[in-house]
Amino acid sequence: MTKLNTQITYKRKGLVLSNMNLMGHEQLVFCQDTNTGLKAIIAIHDTTLGPALGGTRMWNYTNEEDALQDVLRLSRGMTFKAAISGLGLGGGKAVIIGDSETEKTEALMRKFGQYVNSLGGKYITAEDVGMSTKDMEYVRMETKYVTGIPESMGGSGDPSPLTAFGVYMGMKAAAHYKWGSDKLSGRTVLVQGVGHVGKNLVRHLTEEGANVIINDINEQRLDDLAQEFGATIVMGDSIFDVDMDIYAPCALGATVNPDTISRLKCEIIAGAANNQLADEGRDGQLCADKGICYAPDFLINAGGLINVYSELKGYNREDALNQTREIYNTTLEILNKSEFENITTHDAALKIAQERINDRKTSNI
Ligand code: NAD
């Protein structure tokens, strides 16, 4: 598939893409509809391994360039997530610009569904931040190219429990690699962000007997979880100075950066958030230099993607669960490869994913 030039200058309705790095994307679709107020971008990064699957995020971006940057980074990440997980999928993502609390309507979601449909299956959408299974129902009214629809409609429902299970598997593999045992009982794990994924992760950790510290900007959620699981609450930025064995970022990206790495006392970083390293090369190396074992995010948070992929083939929860369990072995393989080749864990994972894509490109299948 021909790639877009990585450096282009393009003007459209006030958005200036001047010398912007398009990260090797195959296709970008700008969607605008004045009737519904829809403003969205669909990014298709790579379809070598299959149709580009990735969720739709609705966020109140400051401007269109921020939205574009976000969708490009997320979409590229989906390519590698699918590749490393052995799925027949490419990478894509969509963002809708707006406040999901106040600006989301059925008409807007259905219009978005029409844009997805116009791509004829090259892009398949799903839930992401600011979306619900109900929204996916509206999209489903306009297109069949959507996953993560409710179980009552034959879908796989909320992917978060599987994402959390995969993160838990990746975390245990990292513990095995680092400490010679994957037992987490007695270990202190800090979970930053206790939303859909974080809460399920806290459940797994508590059941195993880990000491769990939780952090969120939503105080009600923190109080509820502290009560339900007996977790300790730590507020604000001070989390990066707390004694812990494992840091699990499950809120936002880019929380692993020179400032936090210099403060973190953990030996493992393993969480659900996408794009945890603010700068992949620099921060992957800083972690390695400090002896922190970083379990690559796009590898260990793939459980949700595995779940929606299963939906495309006719949903089987047991199969999805078994495939997600495999994240344990893949994580171990990557960590060993990183040590053997003296490269960062992030680069080791990226290398395997890229090799699979390249193999497919050069084969005549
Ligand atoms: P969510 O919106 O349900 O939960 C996110 C939580 O983080 C919320 O409780 C929010 O209050 C909290 N938060 C936001 N900003 C924060 C901050 N600055 N400090 C502390 N907490 C903060 O989202 P989710 O579905 O649980 O996803 C969590 C992360 O995992 C996201 O980065 C998402 O992209 C990624 N992810 C999710 C899935 C999935 O299946 N849901 C799959 C792969 C990756």
Side-chain angles (χ1 to χ4, degrees):
M1 181 61 61
T2 315
K3 300 278 181 176
L4 291 172
N5 290 335
T6 51
Q7 302 282 313
I8 65 167
T9 302
Y10 179 70
K11 259 191 171 195
R12 182 190 179 279
K13 302 231 179 215
L15 170 62
V16 182
L17 305 182
S18 181
N19 289 328
M20 189 171 269
N21 182 357
L22 297 182
M23 302 177 198
H25 273 69
E26 284 177 15
Q27 192 172 355
L28 284 175
V29 182
F30 293 83
C31 320
Q32 181 149 308
D33 178 64
T34 43
N35 284 338
T36 58
L38 175 73
K39 261 181 154 183
I41 308 171
I42 300 172
I44 297 175
H45 179 254
D46 192 297
T47 55
T48 307
L49 298 173
L53 195 152
T56 297
R57 172 171 297 190
M58 186 160 184
W59 193 256
N60 220 349
Y61 293 100
T62 318
N63 55 51
E64 291 164 334
E65 283 199 35
D66 282 0
L68 180 61
Q69 278 294 352
D70 201 32
V71 79
L72 291 173
R73 265 165 66 88
L74 290 164
S75 157
R76 173 179 173 270
M78 292 307 294
T79 296
F80 297 119
K81 192 183 299 199
I84 196 97
S85 308
L87 308 178
L89 291 174
K93 201 89 180 180
V95 293
I96 298 177
I97 302 169
D99 187 331
S100 64
E101 300 284 327
T102 57
E103 294 176 59
K104 196 166 54 179
T105 60
E106 174 181 347
L108 182 138
M109 290 314 303
R110 291 183 68 167
K111 191 72 202 174
F112 176 71
Q114 288 171 16
Y115 276 104
V116 172
N117 200 50
S118 71
L119 293 167
K122 193 172 175 188
Y123 169 68
I124 302 170
T125 197
E127 262 182 67
D128 195 71
V129 177
M131 287 290 135
S132 66
T133 41
K134 184 76 195 161
D135 299 319
M136 292 304 112
E137 275 184 51
Y138 292 139
V139 174
R140 181 71 183 86
M141 289 172 188
E142 304 295 336
T143 183
K144 60 181 178 182
Y145 305 119
V146 53
T147 55
I149 52 174
E151 288 170 80
S152 57
M153 290 174 75
S156 59
D158 179 8
S160 308
L162 263 276
T163 302
F165 180 61
V167 170
Y168 178 55
M169 288 294 103
M171 190 182 280
K172 283 178 78 66
H176 179 95
Y177 173 81
K178 192 79 188 167
W179 301 317
S181 162
D182 68 11
K183 286 201 173 51
L184 297 177
S185 54
R187 297 282 179 190
T188 300
V189 186
L190 187 144
V191 181
Q192 180 193 26
V194 286
H196 289 93
V197 180
K199 179 178 176 175
N200 282 291
L201 181 61
V202 170
R203 177 176 293 113
H204 287 299
L205 293 168
T206 312
E207 279 170 6
E208 202 188 319
N211 307 315
V212 182
I213 301 173
I214 52 176
N215 169 267
D216 203 292
I217 49 172
N218 184 323
E219 292 187 20
Q220 185 61 52
R221 209 166 281 167
L222 284 173
D223 289 343
D224 292 348
L225 255 75
Q227 201 159 21
E228 187 174 349
F229 299 108
T232 309
I233 298 173
V234 174
M235 298 298 291
D237 186 56
S238 60
I239 52 168
F240 297 110
D241 305 308
V242 165
D243 278 328
M244 63 177 111
D245 297 302
I246 301 173
Y247 167 49
C250 296
L252 307 171
T255 62
V256 182
N257 54 53
D259 171 49
T260 58
I261 296 168
S262 71
R263 292 160 62 194
L264 275 167
K265 295 175 187 141
C266 63
E267 291 188 71
I268 290 172
I269 297 175
N274 287 310
N275 302 325
Q276 289 167 27
L277 302 176
D279 180 299
E280 291 174 8
R282 178 197 65 195
D283 300 328
Q285 192 57 51
L286 284 175
C287 284
D289 293 346
K290 203 176 167 186
I292 296 175
C293 173
Y294 167 70
D297 49 11
F298 66 88
L299 164 65
I300 71 169
N301 74 8
L305 182 65
I306 291 168
N307 201 48
V308 293
Y309 181 60
S310 166
E311 183 178 326
L312 291 177
K313 299 184 296 176
Y315 188 52
N316 183 319
R317 188 169 175 83
E318 208 48 41
D319 283 356
L321 203 61
N322 287 335
Q323 205 175 346
T324 303
R325 193 173 279 114
E326 271 306 300
I327 288 175
Y328 185 105
N329 289 328
T330 314
T331 305
L332 266 185
E333 185 193 338
I334 301 288
L335 298 180
N336 284 317
K337 181 181 174 71
S338 144
E339 184 178 334
F340 187 70
E341 296 187 14
N342 195 22
I343 55 177
T344 67
T345 55
H346 184 84
D347 283 352
L350 215 54
K351 210 170 160 185
I352 291 186
Q354 191 63 61
E355 276 166 11
R356 184 166 169 240
I357 295 167
N358 293 347
D359 283 354
R360 179 66 195 238
K361 274 185 181 149
T362 50
S363 72
N364 289 322
I365 303 167

